[in-house]
Amino acid sequence: MTTRGPTVFVVEDEDSFVDALTVGLEREGFRVEVAMDGIEACERFDEVRPDIVLLDVMLPRRSGIDVCREIRKRSQVPIIMVTARSAELDTVVGLEVGADDYVSKPYRLRELVARMRAVMRRTADRQVASAEGTEGSVGRLAAGDVVVDLDRHEVEVRGTPVRLPLKEFELLALLVANAGRVLPRETLIDRIWGSDYVGDTKTLDVHVKRLRAKVEVDPSNPEHIVTIRGLGYKFVATGA
């Protein structure tokens, strides 16, 4: 009896990509399910019950961004967005609605598989950590006018609730927990995306930019999430 590998839900409308991905991913031990447009992806998601979703941004009938947003209402399954090389806006929006990572076409199968496995491993680690957490533990961080409730996954800024996607929440929590300390870029990437992350390091900058838009009074002149040139970022509890 053979062990069934993890299921990847490939949402892609280009036959050439689907055929190549199916062959390559099955060779790597994945079970592949395919949807050719956004509506089909949403309709089949619960049936497929994937371990990871590989989601193209440009889809017929319903965009990948909308599909990602819909999946996040039901599940925290890992999602990797696939974008055109020049579509930076798609990347930013995809991360904002809850994607875990992104790749740009054309991509190498070996790199894609490495990133898929890294995202799946990080998700599994988070689930184990959550399951092992002490019931009723105090998971509340505060620095100045920013409060992060780890147990409830809630954030308040100047007394107002702010909704954050998972990665932004984790990044803010790490910064607030280390308020006043400079956290190197490499440390932030390792802690949030994993030491085996092989993606573009500008992912961190994208998340910082989105966080500043929600945390700062004036995002163009940040007083909380401060860039320390050549090193990384520091969270300042009060305006410097």
Side-chain angles (χ1 to χ4, degrees):
M1 180 177 174
T2 59
T3 302
R4 195 184 98 173
T7 298
V8 53
F9 194 18
V10 176
V11 186
E12 168 67 66
D13 66 315
E14 295 186 39
D15 290 333
S16 59
F17 275 96
V18 170
D19 293 342
L21 269 177
T22 299
V23 172
L25 292 175
E26 287 181 346
R27 189 180 296 130
E28 293 289 335
F30 289 90
R31 175 174 173 264
V32 181
E33 293 285 343
V34 178
M36 302 294 288
D37 63 62
I39 291 180
E40 181 186 1
C42 292
E43 290 176 345
R44 294 193 56 215
F45 177 78
D46 292 331
E47 165 201 336
V48 173
R49 299 180 64 186
D51 297 289
I52 186 168
V53 179
L54 193 60
L55 179 61
D56 193 39
V57 172
M58 301 296 293
L59 292 170
R61 301 211 291 167
R62 192 170 187 182
S63 75
I65 299 297
D66 286 342
V67 174
C68 184
R69 187 179 288 112
E70 178 62 31
I71 289 174
R72 277 290 170 260
K73 294 177 182 178
R74 319 183 204 175
S75 171
Q76 290 300 316
V77 65
I79 299 175
I80 297 181
M81 303 290 292
V82 180
T83 74
R85 182 174 294 277
S86 60
E88 185 172 355
L89 178 60
D90 288 340
T91 298
V92 172
V93 176
L95 294 171
E96 170 68 11
V97 299
D100 296 276
D101 199 357
Y102 69 94
V103 294
S104 300
K105 292 180 180 178
Y107 49 76
R108 296 181 179 179
L109 180 66
R110 181 175 298 179
E111 177 186 350
L112 174 64
V113 170
R115 291 168 76 160
M116 290 169 63
R117 286 178 172 153
V119 168
M120 292 170 65
R121 186 158 49 250
R122 291 195 298 272
T123 301
D125 289 346
R126 282 199 304 268
Q127 291 171 343
V128 169
S130 176
E132 292 177 346
T134 304
E135 186 173 342
S137 62
V138 178
R140 188 177 175 88
L141 305 171
D145 52 18
V146 177
V147 178
V148 180
D149 190 318
L150 300 176
D151 294 334
R152 297 184 178 183
H153 201 282
E154 295 176 349
V155 172
E156 285 189 4
V157 178
R158 293 177 290 279
T160 301
V162 175
R163 296 185 62 181
L164 297 179
L166 179 60
K167 283 292 185 289
E168 287 180 26
F169 179 87
E170 292 178 344
L171 179 57
L172 181 62
L174 182 58
L175 288 166
V176 170
N178 292 274
R181 295 176 54 194
V182 178
L183 296 180
R185 293 176 59 84
E186 295 78 9
T187 299
L188 291 168
I189 291 171
D190 286 353
R191 291 287 298 276
I192 304 303
W193 286 272
S195 58
D196 50 2
Y197 179 67
V198 293
D200 194 331
T201 57
K202 73 178 180 181
T203 297
L204 172 61
D205 301 320
V206 169
H207 281 74
V208 168
K209 181 179 179 180
R210 304 302 297 187
L211 271 180
R212 283 173 170 163
K214 298 167 184 175
V215 169
E216 304 286 355
V217 174
D218 178 6
S220 63
N221 185 30
E223 295 186 329
H224 279 310
I225 304 174
V226 178
T227 301
I228 308 299
R229 292 194 179 279
L231 291 175
Y233 295 98
K234 177 174 68 172
F235 190 91
V236 179
T238 57

